[in-house]
Amino acid sequence: MKNILLINTGGTFSSRPGDHGLTPELASGDICNLIGEFDPALSIVAEDYCSLDSSNIAPDDWQKLALRIGEKVGFYDGVVLIHGTDTLAYTSSMLSYMLQNIPVPVVVTGSQMPLGVPMSDAADNLRCALQMAASGYGGVFVAFDRKIMLGCRTSKVRTVSFNAFESINYPYIGEVNAFGLHLHLEQAQASGSPFQIQAAYSDRIAVLKLFPGMNPDIFRFLHEHGYEGIYIEGFGLGGVPFLKSDFTAEIRRASRSGLPILVGSQCRYEGSNLNVYETGQRILECGGIPVHDMTYEAVVTKLMWCLGQAKDREAVQQFFQRAITKEVSFS
């Protein structure tokens, strides 16, 4: 018998129609009653953390959830977290950093349609998540549309389709087919390092999505207002302008003052590479920190997490020069 903890946070999964559209209302007990029979090999304890649309999930919720889950290690064989889809990838990414080397599976899931609605994907996603939670393979994962994804490699790529999430630049951990849950164990292998909870973070970061003609003065504004890190989504492989709008000069100025500047690509797939073109090499010379093939959500949450561990630019750069939880591949 596997003991699984089910934590409900709300989202579409537990929503019902209200005066202002779908609103999370179902408690964990209601969810268990609506699902009906579970795998008899599982003993499920359900509890509620909150009942929120995931647009209202904030960084302090990530911290509280990480601490709550961390306290349960040793009492349960796995954890399932029901979550709204809109910010699910942020939560799964941040939990990957905060719960490093967790020895039990933590599986985040949600749905595109509320539980109990005809044709809903909710029950299927939850059953898949429960099976992954009972697998014995530690880590943070996402279960959705009969696929298992690494939490720090997951992004929401569609708004209404059932296959809303994809694993970006990393193979799927597993999938459900006619033979049940099939895992690719070489992708799910744990690091073997000791489990540690590191839940400190800083939300004093900013993201700049470049467009042609963008004014680089925004750097000084952010620095003057106490921001501790900036992520630039550049063009193509990560290029930024250095002629009419000289972003490289601002990257150099910010880096010299101790402000970490991350640079990646606006493209979702295949990652950035600052070594190929002059624009990228100028970024590296000016102190820009490359993010390689990380997802947008993984970059944002890793930067927040890094700044919770250390504020100086050099420490942040060192964190981004290594994979903490398989969130990045270096090529």
Side-chain angles (χ1 to χ4, degrees):
M1 182 73 70
K2 292 291 185 76
N3 297 311
I4 307 298
L5 176 64
L6 175 65
I7 302 176
N8 176 41
T9 71
T12 298
F13 192 108
S14 61
S15 287
R16 286 291 179 265
D19 294 337
H20 301 284
L22 289 174
T23 304
E25 290 183 355
L26 295 179
S28 57
D30 300 321
I31 291 171
C32 290
N33 290 334
L34 283 169
I35 290 290
E37 293 185 2
F38 290 101
D39 185 336
L42 304 181
S43 175
I44 300 169
V45 174
E47 63 180 47
D48 295 290
Y49 168 76
C50 64
S51 187
L52 293 175
D53 184 297
S54 69
S55 296
N56 291 313
I57 294 288
D60 67 307
D61 294 306
W62 299 334
Q63 184 179 62
K64 292 172 184 174
L65 284 167
L67 294 173
R68 190 166 182 169
I69 292 169
E71 291 172 355
K72 305 294 185 178
V73 173
F75 299 96
Y76 293 93
D77 299 296
V79 178
V80 171
L81 184 67
I82 293 174
H83 196 288
T85 60
D86 288 349
T87 62
L88 185 151
Y90 292 92
T91 297
S92 63
S93 292
M94 184 59 101
L95 290 180
S96 301
Y97 304 128
M98 290 183 168
L99 299 171
Q100 288 178 43
N101 308 308
I102 189 166
V104 302
V106 176
V107 190
V108 190
T109 193
S111 67
Q112 292 289 75
M113 296 176 67
L115 180 65
V117 173
M119 307 291 288
S120 173
D121 57 332
D124 195 43
N125 286 342
L126 179 55
R127 290 192 175 99
C128 182
L130 288 168
Q131 290 302 309
M132 183 61 197
S135 69
Y137 292 95
V140 179
F141 307 96
V142 171
F144 215 91
D145 191 40
R146 302 197 173 197
K147 300 178 182 67
I148 305 297
M149 294 159 272
L150 204 60
C152 58
R153 290 285 192 162
T154 304
S155 283
K156 186 174 183 181
V157 299
R158 298 175 185 88
T159 57
V160 297
S161 301
F162 286 145
N163 58 338
F165 291 89
E166 289 184 7
S167 181
I168 307 299
N169 301 323
Y170 198 81
Y172 289 114
I173 298 298
E175 63 273 327
V176 176
N177 56 31
F179 298 102
L181 177 62
H182 177 68
L183 296 178
H184 309 297
L185 301 184
E186 69 277 7
Q187 307 299 339
Q189 205 66 36
S191 68
S193 300
F195 170 53
Q196 54 182 333
I197 304 171
Q198 292 180 286
Y201 71 92
S202 170
D203 59 5
R204 300 295 295 166
I205 71 163
V207 178
L208 301 179
K209 190 180 185 77
L210 291 192
F211 58 87
M214 186 175 183
N215 194 322
D217 288 350
I218 186 68
F219 275 94
R220 299 188 188 187
F221 172 86
L222 294 172
H223 202 183
E224 290 170 0
H225 284 75
Y227 284 79
E228 298 173 342
I230 299 173
Y231 172 41
I232 300 174
E233 281 198 323
F235 307 122
L237 285 172
V240 305
F242 60 86
L243 294 177
K244 296 180 180 179
S245 298
D246 190 359
F247 271 79
T248 56
E250 294 301 327
I251 292 172
R252 175 180 284 108
R253 184 179 294 108
S255 298
R256 286 179 175 175
S257 67
L259 182 67
I261 307 295
L262 311 180
V263 183
S265 174
Q266 295 178 14
C267 301
R268 187 181 295 275
Y269 296 101
E270 301 179 343
S272 57
N273 187 336
L274 303 183
N275 292 304
V276 177
Y277 293 101
E278 179 184 3
T279 54
Q281 292 191 16
R282 283 176 176 265
I283 293 167
L284 295 174
E285 292 169 0
C286 293
I289 302 170
V291 301
H292 304 282
D293 67 346
M294 295 176 65
T295 67
Y296 171 83
E297 296 90 345
V299 173
V300 168
T301 52
K302 186 172 182 177
L303 180 56
M304 296 172 76
W305 179 84
C306 287
L307 291 168
Q309 318 312 309
K311 300 295 185 184
D312 60 287
R313 180 198 168 280
E314 288 69 25
V316 171
Q317 183 172 25
Q318 289 177 9
F319 277 122
F320 274 87
Q321 287 176 338
R322 63 185 177 92
I324 295 173
T325 178
K326 299 184 180 178
E327 76 280 4
V328 61
S329 302
F330 299 99
S331 58

